[in-house]
Amino acid sequence: MTDHKLAVPAVLLGAWLATGCGTSGPETFQATGTVTWKGQPVPMGMLRLEPDTKAGNSGPGAVAEIIQGRYATPRGKGVVGGKYRVYVSGTDGVPYDNPEEGYRDPLGRPLFVDMVQEVEFPRITTTHDFILSAP
């Protein structure tokens, strides 16, 4: 058998595996919005969206990067709707050398870590703004 006869089945198998082996999972919706802290856009950070299982939400979690006060969950990897606990971390966005840890931190110094908000997302693509203040 020549190599080109094996190429087509290999490409088809690769495409099938890349799409999740034929399973799609629950439908997710993109969440976008802004993140402010003390009235200013958060320069850099991260949102971790965890379904609130105590409220009956068994959907998948999601993450989104905060850049210049804006975030968006990746398409196809958003929220399913329902109640979520959202953990928000933010940094000043100014890279600095961290001699104590022995590396350069490209995200900057922390402004805050894991401020938590409870959010109920609709079952559609949505916008939700996070307005945070000092504890």
Side-chain angles (χ1 to χ4, degrees), residues 52-118:
D52 188 342
T53 56
K54 290 180 182 175
N57 188 349
S58 60
V63 295
E65 191 173 18
I66 302 166
I67 301 173
Q68 298 177 359
R70 302 200 58 75
Y71 77 92
T73 58
R75 292 192 188 279
K77 295 183 180 179
V79 297
V80 294
K83 292 186 179 183
Y84 279 78
R85 289 183 54 87
V86 181
Y87 298 82
V88 186
S89 299
T91 67
D92 64 12
V94 179
Y96 75 102
D97 291 325
N98 187 338
E100 295 164 5
E101 300 294 327
Y103 68 94
R104 182 167 179 79
D105 191 328
L107 302 178
R109 289 182 168 79
L111 297 173
F112 55 88
V113 177
D114 283 348
M115 287 191 164
V116 181
Q117 288 194 0
E118 294 183 1

Side-chain angles (χ1 to χ4, degrees), residues 19-45:
T19 60
C21 300
T23 61
S24 60
E27 182 177 11
T28 61
F29 304 96
Q30 187 175 38
T32 62
T34 61
V35 183
T36 57
W37 185 65
K38 294 184 177 180
Q40 299 296 315
V42 173
M44 294 189 83

